[in-house]
């Protein structure tokens, strides 16, 4: 039972940045844009979170710095895609490469280090203990003692679902995703909504990066996102850009991420084998999604 609760606790913790990035990808998808730049937004935000928290000696400043950085990267991405009509895939990959190379370069130039940056006195997000929750059998040890952003993430899932399905702006966002030109003809500001959703996506990726570098860890590691942005994008496809289904896909990927770490540390399985588990799960899930869509296609007469 202890092994189960430990695995579930780790799954909830490691799933958080994936869910946040998946919500970012979902909002982008809802306005008709595939956001390949999720990985770069998260990585740049994770770096900014460590710098902000270190220099201000306050984790909240690090979170704000991460959100602002994520939104700045999203704004640049949005300008190239929406203003200059750059290819979505090329622009997204360029943002990812720039974030990876830029953070690695700054580590060497500013701090003369490679690989990891853990400044002394860095303050992480800490943990939240809800009174009485830890006393609940099984669920208590799983749900109690996480960083604040873990709990904020699930609130954001609820708010995203309400926004998209119960508000006028959310319905307009969905209309833009269905047919932007038709939405424009009836007076919906499609371009403005696309900019807005991409900026919101950058903010969510900022929270994801802050969770990784200040919540899950208290340091920045070169390429610490390690494909989680693409896991989030896969979760969006799995959930067909619907909040709860996308969250379920994120939890699946987070589970395999936690499982591979546990297999390395407790069972002694070689890391070369375990590290393929999260990415193997992506292949399996996306194959299943494609098969389900194929089965759902109408049969030609």
């Amino acid at each position: 039972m202890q092994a189960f609760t430990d695995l579930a606790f780790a799954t909830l913790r490691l799933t958080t940045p994936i869910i946040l990035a998946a919500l970012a990808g979902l909002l982008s998808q809802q306005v008709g844009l595939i956001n390949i730049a999720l990985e770069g937004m998260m990585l740049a935000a994770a770096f900014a979170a460590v710098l902000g928290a270190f220099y201000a000696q306050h984790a909240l400043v690090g979170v704000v710095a991460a959100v602002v950085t994520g939104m700045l990267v999203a704004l640049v991405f949005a300008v190239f895609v929406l203003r200059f009509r750059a290819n979505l895939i090329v622009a997204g990959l360029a943002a990812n490469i720039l974030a990876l190379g830029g953070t690695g370069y700054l580590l060497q130039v500013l701090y003369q280090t490679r690989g990891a940056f853990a400044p002394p006195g860095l303050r992480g997000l800490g943990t939240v203990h809800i009174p009485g929750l830890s006393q609940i059998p099984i669920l208590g040890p799983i749900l109690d003692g996480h960083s604040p952003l873990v709990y904020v993430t699930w609130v954001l899932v609820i708010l995203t679902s309400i926004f998209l399905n119960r508000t006028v702006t959310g319905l307009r966002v969905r209309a833009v995703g269905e047919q932007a030109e038709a939405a424009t003809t009836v007076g919906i500001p499609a371009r403005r909504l696309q900019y807005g959703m991409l900026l919101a996506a950058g903010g969510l990726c900022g929270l994801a990066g802050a969770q990784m570098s200040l919540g899950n860890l208290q340091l920045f590691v070169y390429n610490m996102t390690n494909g989680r942005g693409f896991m989030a994008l896969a979760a969006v496809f799995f959930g067909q850009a619907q909040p709860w289904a996308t969250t379920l896909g994120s939890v699946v990927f987070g589970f395999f991420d936690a499982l591979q770490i546990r297999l390395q540390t407790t069972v002694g399985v070689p890391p070369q084998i375990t590290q393929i588990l999260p990415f193997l799960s992506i292949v399996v899930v996306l194959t299943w999604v494609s098969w389900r869509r194929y089965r759902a296609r109408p049969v030609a007469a």
Side-chain angles (χ1 to χ4, degrees):
M1 183 58 69
Q2 184 63 40
F4 167 77
T5 56
D6 289 345
L7 180 60
F9 182 90
T11 297
L12 193 58
R13 178 172 58 86
L14 294 175
T15 294
T16 295
I18 301 176
I19 294 176
L20 289 166
L23 291 177
L26 181 153
L27 291 178
S28 305
Q29 190 92 335
Q30 287 288 355
V31 288
L33 301 172
I34 300 175
N35 197 339
I36 302 294
L38 298 175
E39 183 94 358
M41 295 177 191
M42 292 171 64
L43 187 60
F47 184 68
V50 170
L51 294 187
F54 170 61
Y55 286 113
Q57 288 297 297
H58 201 293
L60 181 59
V61 176
V63 174
V64 173
V67 171
V68 171
T69 300
M71 294 181 73
L72 286 175
V73 176
L75 179 60
V76 174
F77 174 71
V79 168
F80 274 94
V81 169
L82 299 175
R83 176 68 178 84
F84 299 116
R85 302 291 184 179
N87 182 276
L88 270 172
I89 306 301
V90 173
L93 291 176
N96 295 339
I97 294 171
L98 181 62
L100 180 63
T103 53
Y105 174 76
L106 289 175
L107 278 180
Q108 295 184 47
V109 171
L110 298 180
Y111 304 104
Q112 292 76 51
T113 184
R114 295 186 180 185
F117 176 55
L122 177 65
R123 297 188 179 184
L125 292 172
T127 57
V128 174
H129 294 280
I130 302 173
L133 182 59
S134 62
Q135 305 304 317
I136 301 176
I138 302 177
L139 287 179
I142 295 174
L143 300 178
D144 191 46
H146 292 281
S147 80
L149 285 180
V150 173
Y151 305 105
V152 169
T153 296
W154 290 94
V155 174
L156 289 174
V157 172
I158 297 171
L159 293 178
T160 301
S161 180
I162 294 172
F163 168 71
L164 290 175
N165 298 299
R166 304 294 180 185
T167 67
V168 174
T169 303
L171 294 176
R172 290 178 175 175
V173 165
R174 292 165 58 193
V176 171
E178 290 291 333
Q179 184 53 261
E181 292 183 4
T184 301
T185 60
V186 297
I188 296 175
R191 184 62 60 85
R192 189 186 307 167
L193 288 174
Q194 287 177 323
Y195 270 108
M197 291 304 99
L198 284 178
L199 286 176
L204 289 168
C205 285
L207 292 177
Q211 170 63 21
M212 294 188 67
S213 60
L214 296 180
N216 293 348
L217 304 169
Q218 278 79 54
L219 74 163
F220 176 81
V221 179
Y222 178 73
N223 193 28
M224 69 186 305
T225 48
N226 194 29
R228 286 174 178 82
F230 294 103
M231 290 184 191
L233 195 60
V236 175
F237 289 120
F238 168 83
Q240 297 182 354
Q242 297 302 313
W244 289 106
T246 297
T247 301
L248 175 61
S250 302
V251 171
V252 170
F253 297 140
F255 167 76
F256 281 104
D257 198 12
L259 180 63
Q260 63 97 2
I261 294 175
R262 184 164 184 82
L263 288 175
Q264 287 183 54
T265 56
T266 62
V267 182
V269 178
Q272 292 82 359
I273 296 176
T274 60
Q275 286 173 1
I276 70 171
L277 282 178
F279 304 99
L280 181 62
S281 68
I282 293 176
V283 174
V284 172
V285 167
L286 292 183
T287 301
W288 176 75
V289 170
S290 298
W291 175 81
R292 191 177 65 174
R293 289 180 178 174
Y294 174 79
R295 291 291 300 272
R297 288 192 308 177
V299 179

